[in-house]
């Protein structure tokens, strides 16, 4: 994969272009990840349960999931990230907030009709249990969990709106981490030794060999990123689900 220009953002909640997503997909991971045939496989979530009526999803997070700084990845990080995308005060307005509208009260909160974020149907029941309640049964909801807008965000972003612009403050939970960033020139990625599945990352012979220096126009994130990082060989999709293509399935009709 090549980058033709500098990524506009490395904030998963703000990303809407392929250049940004190329880096974000290497540095972050959602509750699930894509398998070789596009099926959902465990990511940060080691398992999940779906209620018989299709309205409630309970994700159990793996206890060895960590941020690149060594902090544990918790259900609260997902709740924080999702509600941040939906928060009408978030600026600029996240471009794919509507992808979370399947969640109960998400659209009403995003549109300012509900003021209390606690009414949104995503709850961290404890550090390793995330409960999600939907407005209507949505068969493809699980496939959204590997989309960027559903990635977790480290809690340190609360107090730093520039967190995604510097290597020192951009804390990820994916197979790679940001080693350095030089605006307009390069982004350098390195293996994330804190990643729960780090043994499947092949770039580990030496510090220099598992570090990739990336210049715009000649960006070489390993082309077999999924193969190097994920035994399934799956690829993330940079394209969100278009609800109009799905016939607005799972949504109540007015």
């Amino acid at each position: 994969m090549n980058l033709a220009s500098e990524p506009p953002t490395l904030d998963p909640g703000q990303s809407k272009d392929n250049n940004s997503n190329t880096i974000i997909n290497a540095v972050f991971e959602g509750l699930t990840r894509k398998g070789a045939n596009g099926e959902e496989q465990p990511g940060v979530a080691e398992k999940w349960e779906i209620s018989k009526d299709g309205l409630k999803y309970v994700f159990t997070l793996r206890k060895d999931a960590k941020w690149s700084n060594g902090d544990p990845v918790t259900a609260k990080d997902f709740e924080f990230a999702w509600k941040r995308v939906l928060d009408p005060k978030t600026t600029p307005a996240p471009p794919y907030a509507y992808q979370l509208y399947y969640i109960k009260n998400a659209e009403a909160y995003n549109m300012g009709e509900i003021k209390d974020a606690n009414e949104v149907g995503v709850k961290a029941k404890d550090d390793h249990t995330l409960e999600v309640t939907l407005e209507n049964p949505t068969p493809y909801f699980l496939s959204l969990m590997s989309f960027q807008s559903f990635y977790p965000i480290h809690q340190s972003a609360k107090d730093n709106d520039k967190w995604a612009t510097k290597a020192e403050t951009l804390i990820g939970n994916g197979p790679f981490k940001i080693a350095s960033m030089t605006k307009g020139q390069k982004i350098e990625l390195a293996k994330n030794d804190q990643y729960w599945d780090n043994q499947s990352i092949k770039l580990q012979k030496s510090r220099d060999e598992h570090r990739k220096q990336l210049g715009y126009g000649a960006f070489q994130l390993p082309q077999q990123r999924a193969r190097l990082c994920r035994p399934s060989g799956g690829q993330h999709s940079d394209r969100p689900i278009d609800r109009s293509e799905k016939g607005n399935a799972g949504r109540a009709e007015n």
Side-chain angles (χ1 to χ4, degrees), residues 5-243:
S5 61
E6 182 175 8
T9 181
L10 295 181
D11 180 341
Q14 297 289 352
S15 174
K16 60 180 180 179
D17 67 285
N18 288 335
N19 285 340
S20 297
N21 292 343
T22 296
I23 305 294
I24 289 170
N25 285 338
V27 176
F28 291 90
E29 182 172 85
L31 292 167
T32 66
R33 58 190 191 180
K34 297 292 185 184
N37 298 314
E39 75 279 11
E40 298 306 316
Q41 295 186 344
V44 177
E46 61 182 4
K47 61 181 180 179
W48 50 85
E49 296 179 0
I50 305 172
S51 63
K52 290 183 178 180
D53 61 9
L55 293 177
K56 184 171 291 187
Y57 289 66
V58 178
F59 296 92
T60 301
L61 276 61
R62 57 181 76 251
K63 295 182 179 180
D64 57 350
K66 295 182 179 180
W67 292 101
S68 54
N69 70 345
D71 291 343
V73 179
T74 71
K76 295 176 183 177
D77 297 326
F78 282 91
E79 180 179 355
F80 163 62
W82 295 10
K83 289 181 177 178
R84 175 176 173 267
V85 169
L86 291 169
D87 190 342
K89 296 179 181 178
T90 300
T91 54
Y96 291 129
Y98 68 87
Q99 291 291 337
L100 284 75
Y101 284 3
Y102 306 102
I103 300 170
K104 186 175 182 179
N105 290 329
E107 183 173 8
Y109 177 60
N110 186 237
M111 299 301 291
E113 298 168 6
I114 290 177
K115 305 299 182 183
D116 186 0
N118 290 321
E119 295 187 41
V120 177
V122 53
K123 311 286 183 186
K125 306 300 287 186
D126 57 44
D127 282 351
H128 301 104
T129 307
L130 186 72
E131 182 181 277
V132 183
T133 304
L134 305 186
E135 290 277 6
N136 297 282
T138 307
Y140 52 88
F141 180 73
L142 195 62
S143 69
L144 290 172
M145 297 303 96
S146 56
F147 182 65
Q148 291 86 354
S149 298
F150 288 87
Y151 286 172
I153 297 295
H154 192 272
Q155 299 284 333
S156 60
K158 286 181 180 179
D159 304 315
N160 180 9
D161 59 1
K162 302 293 185 183
W163 67 274
T165 64
K166 296 182 179 180
E168 313 87 74
T169 54
L170 202 162
I171 301 170
N173 70 318
F176 293 90
K177 63 182 179 180
I178 302 293
S180 68
M181 299 170 63
T182 304
K183 187 173 177 60
Q185 296 184 29
K186 67 176 183 179
I187 296 175
E188 189 176 52
L189 299 185
K191 174 185 173 182
N192 178 14
D193 290 326
Q194 299 291 339
Y195 180 54
W196 67 270
D197 196 20
N198 66 74
Q199 292 185 353
S200 67
I201 303 173
K202 305 305 181 182
L203 303 176
Q204 55 187 351
K205 292 182 179 179
S206 71
R207 182 173 181 178
D208 287 336
E209 286 181 308
H210 40 79
R211 181 170 289 188
K212 292 286 181 180
Q213 187 165 304
L214 313 166
Y216 308 126
F219 178 89
Q220 288 297 320
L221 180 65
Q223 293 184 1
Q224 300 82 13
R225 184 269 188 197
R227 180 177 64 79
L228 290 167
C229 308
R230 301 175 176 181
S232 65
Q235 293 282 354
H236 277 283
S237 172
D238 292 336
R239 183 177 181 270
I241 288 177
D242 184 341
R243 287 164 56 190

